[in-house]
Amino acid sequence: MQKEQVIIVGAGPSGLAMAACLNHHSIPYIILEREDCIASLWKKYAYDRLHLHLDKQFCVLPHMPFPDSYPRFVSRQQFVSYLDDYVSRFKISPLYRRTVESAEFDGETGKWIVKARNLGSGEVEELEGRFLVVASGETSDPFTPVIEGLNTFPGDVLHSTRFRNGKAFQNQKVLVVGSGNSGMEIAFDLANHGAQTSLVVRSPVHILSRDMIYLGLILVKYIRVNLVDSLMVMLSKLVYGDLSKYGINRPKEGPFFMKAAYGKYPITDIGTCKKIKSQEIQVLPSICSIRGNEVVFENGTTHPFDTIVFCTGFKRSTNVWLKGDDYLLNDDGISKLSFPNHWKGKNGLYCVGLSRRGLYGAASDALNIADDINSLRRTVESSRPMGWHQLSTEYQIIR
């Protein structure tokens, strides 16, 4: 039986965007999701006060705008509602609780063979498709660093994916490890709820307001990045002053250069800086070791804590199950290729949302991939007596 279809791995925002774009071209697909719902990070593993850090115009998925009633900065609950409506509009029906164990291109048949374990039945299902889209996300596997003595800590140790809000930590001494947007915002929430909050800041960071970032995103379309960065740094100095005396240093490279070159986002300040200056949040350097409830820092100081929250990001496990690809993705599951051709591999392999360009980048990737597959479809259509509409849209599962 002839088949010409797309297998999408992941039903987060990237996978949903990909499905909608394929739907727009009437291209059949199947979407595999290891969790029991779409967008599990947003539905099950995000803290309550989370908002999209960029203006909604930079976060919208293809073919469906946010409701006019939504504010500029969309809340977690609003974004989840938007995604649920997105799934309904485009009739997206993922196969849930499927963990991909391997995906390999068969050179003889020209098809991708994907083996996925059904976590409900325990059986391994085999699917084959002409195209494979990796949409498993940049935030797929929570990462906690190895620290000497962490196993001796008697208090609670949790990753940011298990943090909901600061209510349960009132009057506790809480150490937040990691100074990205999640770490800064969780520290802010803890301080608001009366926790004695400390924040580990290991590396220099750029801190900008929401309006600064919005201005920068508009300007970078028209003028050179180095000029935009100079303006951003000047505005940051004017608004926040010299933060080095509080333990926060500014990088030598500009915020938008760093975003493009390394995928490192500037911090979107939502009030954390004010609490740092008022000493409601204490900034500490890197951790050397842990001895019971005492944490030893690289400046030689030691402080006791009741809880440690790791806001140390994520890893990807794509390299475990994706076989034979040495072109598109690196060992950490991020595209090796440079923008704007970072989304296309070989033999019908694609990736969406794996270039550290956020939701805006994922939406753009999905549109490009769907257009590319549609173009290949038209080539096939013109070279075969059988039209695309006559090709089977069934996918094969072999148990």
Side-chain angles (χ1 to χ4, degrees):
M1 180 186 297
Q2 287 183 298
K3 293 178 291 292
E4 196 82 24
Q5 68 150 26
V6 185
I7 299 172
I8 304 169
V9 179
S14 295
L16 299 180
M18 188 70 254
C21 290
L22 293 171
N23 183 297
H24 187 71
H25 287 292
S26 300
I27 298 173
Y29 66 87
I30 193 73
I31 182 167
L32 305 175
E33 169 54 48
R34 68 182 180 182
E35 295 280 349
D36 59 0
C37 63
I38 63 160
S40 61
L41 182 68
W42 289 89
K43 288 193 170 187
K44 298 165 63 175
Y45 304 117
Y47 48 93
D48 294 342
R49 65 164 295 113
L50 177 63
H51 286 66
L52 296 177
H53 292 117
L54 300 182
D55 190 290
K56 65 181 180 181
Q57 75 181 77
F58 299 109
C59 301
V60 68
L61 299 187
H63 307 303
M64 184 174 139
F66 285 116
D68 292 339
S69 60
Y70 275 24
R72 284 180 61 197
F73 299 97
V74 176
S75 72
R76 168 180 171 255
Q77 293 83 359
Q78 289 169 325
F79 190 57
V80 166
S81 178
Y82 168 78
L83 293 177
D84 285 337
D85 291 342
Y86 197 82
V87 166
S88 297
R89 172 176 288 193
F90 296 107
K91 299 179 173 59
I92 302 170
S93 300
L95 292 181
Y96 293 116
R97 304 193 70 206
R98 263 60 171 200
T99 299
V100 175
E101 296 190 344
S102 69
E104 190 168 8
F105 184 73
D106 185 335
E108 291 186 5
T109 64
K111 301 286 181 67
W112 283 91
I113 308 300
V114 177
K115 294 180 180 179
R117 186 169 299 277
N118 184 325
L119 298 180
S121 67
E123 297 180 327
V124 174
E125 301 168 345
E126 187 171 295
L127 300 88
E128 63 175 44
R130 175 64 187 86
F131 305 101
L132 175 65
V133 181
V134 180
S136 45
E138 295 178 1
T139 54
S140 54
D141 301 309
F143 171 72
T144 300
V146 176
I147 298 176
E148 180 186 344
L150 179 59
N151 61 335
T152 70
F153 185 74
D156 291 331
V157 176
L158 60 152
H159 190 269
S160 60
T161 51
R162 291 175 52 210
F163 180 89
R164 293 297 168 265
N165 57 65
K167 291 178 182 177
F169 303 95
Q170 185 176 11
N171 297 322
Q172 286 192 26
K173 294 179 180 178
V174 183
L175 177 64
V176 178
V177 182
S179 56
N181 277 302
S182 293
M184 289 284 191
E185 198 159 345
I186 285 174
F188 177 79
D189 193 63
L190 285 163
N192 277 346
H193 284 94
Q196 299 177 49
T197 308
S198 297
L199 174 67
V200 170
V201 179
R202 296 187 306 158
S203 306
V205 293
H206 284 289
I207 298 179
L208 305 175
S209 70
R210 285 171 166 174
D211 287 333
M212 289 179 202
I213 293 175
Y214 177 79
L215 175 62
L217 288 170
I218 297 299
L219 289 178
V220 80
K221 296 178 182 179
Y222 305 104
I223 61 178
R224 297 198 307 271
V225 169
N226 65 316
L227 296 178
V228 176
D229 278 343
S230 295
L231 176 62
M232 294 298 105
V233 170
M234 181 187 72
L235 291 173
S236 181
K237 288 179 179 178
L238 286 172
V239 172
Y240 300 110
D242 180 13
L243 296 175
S244 62
K245 55 188 173 184
Y246 301 102
I248 298 176
N249 295 302
R250 185 177 289 108
K252 293 180 180 179
E253 296 169 312
F256 282 87
F257 172 83
M258 293 182 69
K259 174 65 180 67
Y262 316 122
K264 187 174 179 62
Y265 290 85
I267 302 303
T268 305
D269 181 53
I270 44 84
T272 309
C273 279
K274 185 177 180 180
K275 290 191 177 294
I276 289 172
K277 288 180 176 181
S278 68
Q279 299 185 340
E280 292 176 74
I281 296 174
Q282 175 184 210
V283 174
L284 294 169
S286 297
I287 297 172
C288 285
S289 63
I290 298 174
R291 303 169 186 167
N293 71 335
E294 298 280 341
V295 179
V296 182
F297 297 89
E298 67 173 9
N299 62 358
T301 62
T302 302
H303 300 276
F305 293 98
D306 302 305
T307 299
I308 302 176
V309 182
F310 283 98
C311 301
T312 43
F314 299 81
K315 296 289 186 180
R316 277 109 341 237
S317 55
T318 319
N319 64 316
V320 174
W321 55 264
L322 182 60
K323 311 297 182 182
D325 170 53
D326 58 0
Y327 177 77
L328 182 59
L329 301 177
N330 63 23
D331 290 341
D332 194 27
I334 299 296
S335 178
K336 294 180 182 180
L337 306 182
S338 300
F339 175 85
N341 300 312
H342 55 276
W343 46 267
K344 185 174 182 177
K346 297 178 179 179
N347 299 320
L349 176 66
Y350 300 92
C351 68
V352 55
L354 291 172
S355 62
R356 300 193 186 279
R357 296 175 62 237
L359 291 168
Y360 180 83
S364 176
D365 293 348
L367 288 164
N368 285 327
I369 293 167
D371 286 345
D372 195 63
I373 292 175
N374 190 47
S375 176
L376 292 171
R377 174 191 78 167
R378 293 181 181 281
T379 301
V380 170
E381 202 172 39
S382 63
S383 64
R384 292 179 178 174
M386 181 184 295
W388 173 267
H389 66 281
Q390 294 172 282
L391 295 176
S392 172
T393 61
E394 298 294 321
Y395 61 90
Q396 182 177 353
I397 298 182
I398 305 169
R399 290 182 171 83

